[in-house]
Amino acid sequence: MKILAIETSCDDTGIAVLENNKEIKILSDSLSSQNNIHKEYGGIHPSLAKREHTKNIFPVFLSSLKKAKLLKKGKTQIFKETDKILERYPELLKDLKEFLENYEKPNIDQIAVTVGPGLEPCLWVGINFAKALALNWNIPLISVNHIEAHILVNFLENDKNVFPAISLVLSGGNTKIFLMQNIGMYKELGATRDDAIGECFDKTARLLGLPYPGGPEIAKRAEKVKKSRFKLPRPMINSNDYDFSFSGLKTAVFYEIKDKKLSEEEINEMSFEIQNAVIDVVVKKTEKAILEFNPKSIFIGGGVSSNKKLQKELNKLAKKYNIGLHIPKYTTDNAIMIGVAAILSPKIENYDKIGANSNLNLND
Ligand code: KG4
């Protein structure tokens, strides 16, 4: 069975083709990132992101089918409703119609698409494109929760004897910690009450004059020093719950550097302290969950989980309690994870009912 997976929830347009026989095989993975576009704003600008998805989704789609060697000249009958589905994106409609007139239905059995959480106008680009394809190719449409996909992409490489597990989703839009009893069985233990963890990196990096996305920049700077003259708070580190709060950290950095021109060395030291403050809180909350739930493993996912220092500290923690730490190969947004989630935890949707939900929860 082959599945075409689509991801447009934030600022990456991703399309991948996966094959699921005895194991999951990646046939292609195409991605167009908008980092350069959003750099100027120090964060994601939703209407620009939507415009870029609309422009990029078709070339990314073609490249993905081509890489998977699934393009076959021919003709596909075009359903009239296609015009309605893609009426807001005239260029995309034109490209898709031209494609359908020139290529027969590829050997794809299902389409998977992210329906949330994420930026609603961006989600709709992927969803409407997926709908138009599913209609014209006459195949089922599977809706995927972006958070679940960040968790389940771990199972590309792991067997399933890992439960109960503690799963951390740490990205630019989400900071959540789950107790996972099995695939599809998640209990949210806590989440951020304000800024997401990646947002904290991005915003503090901006205060330091570092480019977007801030996480990798802060990490790079932090690596250059071994200690810091700055001291930041560790918000909610000792709270008796699993929630996080990162906006205070951003404010603390603001006041610490206000009216100062930091030297390069000071920027490095501030980066070091920001990274440590964030990691200390994540590690402490994870340890609390280990002590309470006695899990067999920890899963991490989302862009921030690619942070090497965080991985090192979580690794130490996993060793201390003799449990497994699973670091996925695909941490930042991509369509592979959408395909994996659709295969492992499929939610086949009524074609008319499928829609974007920017605040979608894991148990919705
Ligand atoms: O999962 P992702 O690609 O997109 C979503 O937000 O959905 O995550 C992007 C976030 C950005 O905030 C970026 O600054 C952060 O992940 N990030 C990092 C690192 N690499 C990416 N944060 C800390 N350290 C990193 N190495």
Side-chain angles (χ1 to χ4, degrees), residues 10-13 31-45 48-49 52-53 56 172 198 202 210-217 220 303 306 332-333:
C10 192
D11 62 337
D12 292 304
T13 318
L31 191 82
S32 169
S33 164
Q34 302 174 10
N35 276 350
N36 281 335
I37 310 272
H38 301 287
K39 249 181 183 152
E40 249 182 77
Y41 303 92
I44 316 269
H45 191 294
L48 273 185
E52 291 302 301
H53 283 303
N56 297 333
D202 295 336
L210 302 175
Y212 175 85
E217 293 297 322
K220 237 189 282 166
S306 58
T332 51
D333 287 352

Side-chain angles (χ1 to χ4, degrees), residues 10 12 146 150 171-173 198-199 201-202 213-216 219 302-304 306-307 331-333:
C10 192
D12 292 304
H146 184 85
H150 269 306
S171 73
E199 199 179 351
F201 276 113
D202 295 336
V304 178
S306 58
N307 184 288
T331 49
T332 51
D333 287 352

Side-chain angles (χ1 to χ4, degrees), residues 2-7 13-19 24-31 57 60-68 70 108 110-113 133 137 156 330 334-340 343:
K2 292 193 182 69
I3 191 158
L4 181 107
I6 303 176
E7 157 64 31
T13 318
I15 299 196
V17 179
L18 279 72
E19 186 166 34
I24 300 174
K25 212 167 128 192
I26 298 162
L27 302 186
S28 71
D29 174 30
S30 298
L31 191 82
I57 197 163
V60 171
F61 162 74
L62 260 193
S63 128
S64 195
L65 282 182
K66 203 167 167 189
K67 281 191 217 159
L70 289 174
I108 299 269
Q110 290 180 331
I111 297 191
V113 64
L133 288 177
W137 289 346
L156 253 182
Y330 305 96
N334 62 84
I336 292 173
M337 67 182 199
I338 306 306
V340 174
I343 290 167

Side-chain angles (χ1 to χ4, degrees), residues 264-303:
E264 290 298 310
E265 189 66 15
E266 284 171 326
I267 294 177
N268 296 344
E269 289 185 23
M270 182 53 99
S271 300
F272 180 88
E273 177 63 5
I274 293 168
Q275 180 171 270
N276 281 354
V278 170
I279 292 174
D280 283 353
V281 182
V282 173
V283 170
K284 187 76 192 285
K285 298 276 170 175
T286 310
E287 183 163 26
K288 181 173 158 60
I290 293 172
L291 292 170
E292 184 170 350
F293 300 106
N294 197 17
K296 275 197 195 148
S297 36
I298 305 170
F299 289 100
I300 56 175

Side-chain angles (χ1 to χ4, degrees), residues 196-214:
I197 187 167
E199 199 179 351
C200 172
F201 276 113
D202 295 336
K203 287 180 173 169
T204 52
R206 192 167 192 214
L207 290 173
L208 295 176
L210 302 175
Y212 175 85

Side-chain angles (χ1 to χ4, degrees), residues 132-181:
L133 288 177
L135 170 75
N136 287 290
W137 289 346
N138 194 22
I139 55 176
L141 198 51
I142 300 179
S143 71
V144 174
N145 181 308
H146 184 85
I147 302 276
E148 186 174 25
H150 269 306
I151 297 173
L152 293 186
V153 74
N154 278 288
F155 290 89
L156 253 182
E157 291 128 22
N158 288 296
D159 66 30
K160 295 175 182 77
N161 184 22
V162 288
F163 300 115
I166 297 297
S167 294
L168 299 162
V169 177
L170 308 170
S171 73
N174 295 284
T175 314
K176 287 181 187 281
I177 176 163
F178 297 96
L179 172 65
M180 194 178 167
Q181 294 292 0

